Amino acid sequence: MFIPLTQFPQSLFLLQEIFGAYAQALRNYSMPWTTKRQQSSTSSAFVLSLEERLLLTNRHCVAHASCIEVRKRGDDEKFEAEVLARATDCDLAILTVREESFWKGTLSAQELCRDVPALFSEVVCVGYPTGGDNLCVTKGVVSRVDYEDHPDPWMNRLVIQIDAAINPGNSGGPALVAGGRCVGVAYESLKDGSTENIGFIIPVSVVEKFLTAWRRLANEGSAAPHAERSTMRVTAFGHGRFFAQRLENAGMRRALGLSKGQSGVIIKSVDPTTPNAQALRRGDVLMSLVGVSIGNDGCVPFVCGSSRHDRVPFPYVAINKFVGESLDAEIMRDGVQISCAFELLPQEPLVSVEKEAPWLLDYCIIGGLVFVVLSQQYLRATFGDKWRKERCNGLAEIMDSRERDFEDEQVVVLSYVLAHTVNLGFQDVRNARLKAFVMDGQPVRVRNLWHLSELLDSCQDEYLRFELFGRGSGFLPEIIVLERAAVQAAEKDILSRNKIPTSKRLSKKGSPMT
């Protein structure tokens, strides 16, 4: 990484930038015991705090990093950096450099501006995009302030859209307004073949919430944030762990007991494994949250500068709340309006979308049957970047499922079968979701990969029986039966043939969401 010391030409402000390079070993999600060829890439970041020795960048810039190196602009010395904290829900990461000599010289922290810039405000993005090693500056204007377009409103985040070019390598660099103040962190551009010069930055308000959540977590560990050596997984934005639909049909509103002038959204499901299932029910109408009325479109008013006509998804009103805090609500239940409160909880989708979750590389091999945990990364690795447009044996649909029967539930998938005489007839089974394991003649629903391993270890039946979810007509197997003694005898040979060091890898028991 490079840390440049450069003068911002319009405001004569000294800007500290980091040009980031890291080496990463790309994971093989369908064969978790291996990795692909190591690669390297570059990115940008900036000095956040000199007192705490903090650098800020995007989480995706350091995902799977085996080694992170930084160096100052115009300096040939490289310094190793480490990740203190990362957050998937806002794509931010905090780095530090332990070597004191790195911080000597004319470095200063970047000034942050929490105010959301007005539309048409000029913005300058500074970083190190693809095309060279020297500092690159692009200029544009704020064209929109909005929430991300995510199907789950709880997953939406405030973003600032600009028309300045943001290219690979720009990620993590600051976006500056007049005076050299940073109003956001560049993190992605929209390139769908039909648009041009649409880039997005993470506003400072999101950065500050991430920092606050990290410091709270660090203080809970009775250690100063800058002294924490292990990488913290921070959840800056909570989730209500319930899902709702709009109430734009007048007849439906009347059927639910809403009078003219009343509005809200109807709750269609609540995670039964959370305490919120005691406060909310399917069929309730959520009318207001923390005193703010919710529209029939599922949105609330959003004030940006002089504009008071924009609307954003209703979870926006919880912007100042953190995981563990409660939200007051007004609901309509069976025609009666009542008050209640529910808790903001960590975001834990049934199928993980986080690239660095430890359980994504867990596996369990029995009789050549390779069982893994379903994730978005697994689908992309198996079916390609256009996996959402593929059938994926029904696995893609589970990505959008919010139903959870167990608090520690994982979707366990039979990835493929390592060919051997012990599993003859099943070698063509691929990407099949495991439903149950039969014990003493009774099917036992498999909660997660740890549970499957425990069932296998405790099973004394003569045969091992696996039930799979149905995948249509034809001869596709929905039950696999292997002889236990033959499986045990073949294990060493199967592992040796496929150069696999061990038959299983399991992350910390009982916390697949940690």
Side-chain angles (χ1 to χ4, degrees):
M1 287 186 171
F2 293 63
I3 290 195
L5 181 60
T6 184
Q7 187 175 31
F8 185 51
Q10 293 182 342
S11 63
L12 301 179
F13 179 79
L14 292 179
L15 174 68
Q16 284 70 45
E17 264 303 303
I18 299 172
F19 179 43
Y22 67 95
Q24 62 174 346
L26 298 178
R27 305 301 194 246
N28 189 334
Y29 295 98
S30 60
M31 301 174 65
W33 54 88
T34 66
T35 59
K36 299 179 182 179
R37 185 177 180 179
Q38 181 172 286
Q39 298 179 0
S40 63
S41 65
T42 61
S43 56
S44 306
F46 56 91
V47 178
L48 185 65
S49 171
L50 284 178
E51 293 77 14
E52 296 179 276
R53 302 292 197 258
L54 302 181
L55 316 174
L56 183 68
T57 188
N58 289 132
R59 182 204 58 84
H60 74 260
C61 294
V62 294
H64 300 316
S66 302
C67 178
I68 305 172
E69 293 181 328
V70 300
R71 72 177 174 91
K72 301 176 182 179
R73 184 188 182 197
D75 193 345
D76 62 347
E77 185 176 4
K78 295 181 180 180
F79 298 84
E80 183 176 357
E82 62 182 87
V83 182
L84 294 181
R86 55 184 172 82
T88 301
D89 57 7
C90 56
D91 194 22
L92 292 171
I94 298 173
L95 311 179
T96 193
V97 176
R98 299 291 175 182
E99 181 60 50
E100 280 296 320
S101 60
F102 172 84
W103 300 98
K104 293 181 179 179
T106 56
L107 290 180
S108 62
Q110 174 64 57
E111 182 183 359
L112 303 180
C113 176
R114 197 177 194 277
D115 295 336
V116 178
L119 298 181
F120 306 116
S121 298
E122 288 190 348
V123 176
V124 172
C125 288
V126 186
Y128 293 87
T130 301
D133 288 346
N134 290 326
L135 190 69
C136 179
V137 178
T138 57
K139 184 178 180 180
V141 299
V142 174
S143 51
R144 179 184 295 166
V145 179
D146 204 349
Y147 259 48
E148 293 175 311
D149 185 20
H150 195 283
D152 181 357
W154 290 99
M155 301 287 285
N156 284 304
R157 299 289 169 262
L158 186 67
V159 294
I160 301 173
Q161 179 182 318
I162 60 177
D163 64 0
I166 295 180
N167 295 304
N170 265 124
S171 294
L176 309 173
V177 293
R181 297 181 302 166
C182 174
V183 293
V185 182
Y187 84 106
E188 75 171 2
S189 61
L190 180 61
K191 293 187 173 104
D192 58 4
S194 60
T195 57
E196 295 182 0
N197 291 340
I198 294 182
F200 297 96
I201 61 177
I202 302 170
V204 168
S205 59
V206 174
V207 174
E208 291 184 337
K209 185 168 185 178
F210 165 61
L211 292 173
T212 300
W214 169 58
R215 289 189 170 102
R216 287 185 177 186
L217 187 61
N219 290 334
E220 289 176 3
S222 66
H226 61 276
E228 183 65 46
R229 299 193 66 90
S230 60
T231 301
M232 290 185 179
R233 294 181 62 244
V234 179
T235 301
F237 294 83
H239 198 294
R241 301 287 282 277
F242 66 84
F243 302 93
Q245 72 179 55
R246 297 167 179 165
L247 281 177
E248 297 178 307
N249 183 275
M252 186 173 183
R253 291 197 298 271
R254 288 192 292 270
L256 291 169
L258 296 180
S259 59
K260 188 175 181 180
Q262 291 182 317
S263 62
V265 292
I266 183 172
I267 295 176
K268 56 185 181 181
S269 67
V270 184
D271 189 335
T273 66
T274 67
N276 289 346
Q278 305 300 317
L280 302 173
R281 300 178 188 173
R282 175 184 171 89
D284 287 348
V285 178
L286 181 62
M287 302 176 64
S288 70
L289 202 55
V290 294
V292 180
S293 297
I294 300 174
N296 296 317
D297 58 353
C299 295
V300 295
F302 173 66
V303 178
C304 175
S306 60
S307 174
R308 298 178 179 271
H309 306 291
D310 296 322
R311 298 179 65 78
V312 294
F314 71 87
Y316 164 74
V317 299
I319 187 67
N320 295 320
K321 297 288 187 177
F322 292 86
V323 172
E325 297 182 356
S326 63
L327 299 175
D328 295 328
E330 291 289 328
I331 63 174
M332 180 75 74
R333 177 179 296 167
D334 299 328
V336 180
Q337 186 171 338
I338 59 176
S339 300
C340 68
F342 61 88
E343 185 179 350
L344 272 182
L345 302 165
Q347 298 194 32
E348 297 175 353
L350 178 60
V351 179
S352 175
V353 297
E354 184 180 352
K355 294 182 179 180
E356 297 169 284
W359 60 89
L360 297 187
L361 299 178
D362 288 355
Y363 67 90
C364 181
I365 301 175
I366 184 73
L369 277 61
V370 181
F371 294 99
V372 300
V373 179
L374 181 64
S375 66
Q376 179 175 304
Q377 288 70 37
Y378 173 84
L379 291 174
R380 179 174 286 109
T382 305
F383 299 98
D385 290 336
K386 297 182 179 180
W387 61 270
R388 282 194 177 275
K389 298 181 180 180
E390 303 291 336
R391 293 185 61 189
C392 302
N393 289 343
L395 297 178
E397 288 79 359
I398 306 174
M399 284 293 302
D400 298 322
S401 173
R402 306 300 173 185
E403 300 298 327
R404 189 193 302 272
D405 295 325
F406 312 101
E407 185 176 358
D408 57 355
E409 184 176 1
Q410 295 174 330
V411 178
V412 179
V413 175
L414 174 55
S415 176
Y416 61 100
V417 179
L418 302 170
H420 193 276
T421 54
V422 73
N423 53 51
L424 184 65
F426 302 115
Q427 290 94 332
D428 294 332
V429 179
R430 298 284 189 276
N431 310 306
R433 183 182 179 187
L434 179 63
K435 183 177 182 180
F437 179 73
V438 179
M439 291 276 289
D440 299 325
Q442 298 296 322
V444 179
R445 175 76 181 277
V446 177
R447 300 195 311 271
N448 51 53
L449 208 56
W450 259 105
H451 187 213
L452 173 62
S453 177
E454 291 175 340
L455 292 174
L456 290 169
D457 291 343
S458 62
C459 180
Q460 298 299 318
D461 295 351
E462 184 178 357
Y463 296 97
L464 304 177
R465 303 171 187 266
F466 303 88
E467 292 186 1
L468 308 176
F469 280 91
R471 294 183 292 162
S473 59
F475 288 107
L476 294 174
E478 295 183 12
I479 184 167
I480 294 177
V481 180
L482 303 177
E483 189 175 3
R484 185 167 66 88
V487 165
Q488 293 174 344
E491 178 179 315
K492 185 177 180 180
D493 185 36
I494 292 174
L495 297 179
S496 176
R497 286 186 187 185
N498 295 276
K499 306 296 189 294
I500 302 174
T502 180
S503 62
K504 67 178 70 172
R505 178 198 181 277
L506 299 173
S507 54
K508 187 178 179 181
K509 180 180 177 182
S511 55
M513 300 300 172
T514 301

